[in-house]
Amino acid sequence: KVLTVGTQMQQVIAGIESACATMKIFALETQDQQAKQDFQSIAKALIAFADSKRQQQYIEQQEPQYKQM
């Protein structure tokens, strides 16, 4: 089965959100304060990236002329 780019992007976003959740769990579980901060920073960066991709995808759906090549 061939997936559309939109479907593939949704899968990527879901994977990023899963990685973000894992980083948050690691941050909660570790006693190392530096590692905790690192995990939290990674989680924030991942969710920001996923949010920007979702926003870009929405704009492209609404306004096809803005589609990035």
Side-chain angles (χ1 to χ4, degrees):
K1 179 180 176 184
V2 177
L3 300 176
T4 66
V5 172
T7 301
Q8 290 172 328
M9 184 58 72
Q10 289 296 346
Q11 289 178 345
V12 168
I13 291 169
I16 291 169
E17 290 172 339
S18 175
C20 178
T22 300
M23 292 298 112
K24 289 178 179 181
I25 290 168
F26 289 168
L28 291 171
E29 291 177 344
T30 188
Q31 298 302 312
D32 182 320
Q33 289 304 308
Q34 183 60 53
K36 184 181 293 286
Q37 289 177 348
D38 291 344
F39 289 137
Q40 289 170 340
S41 293
I42 292 167
K44 286 179 185 176
L46 288 171
I47 205 65
F49 181 76
D51 287 346
S52 72
K53 284 295 157 193
R54 252 194 303 277
Q55 186 176 33
Q56 176 186 347
Q57 193 174 29
Y58 174 77
I59 291 168
E60 289 175 355
Q61 287 172 350
Q62 299 302 310
E63 302 291 341
Q65 70 269 26
Y66 293 113
K67 194 168 277 195
Q68 296 180 358
M69 299 295 165

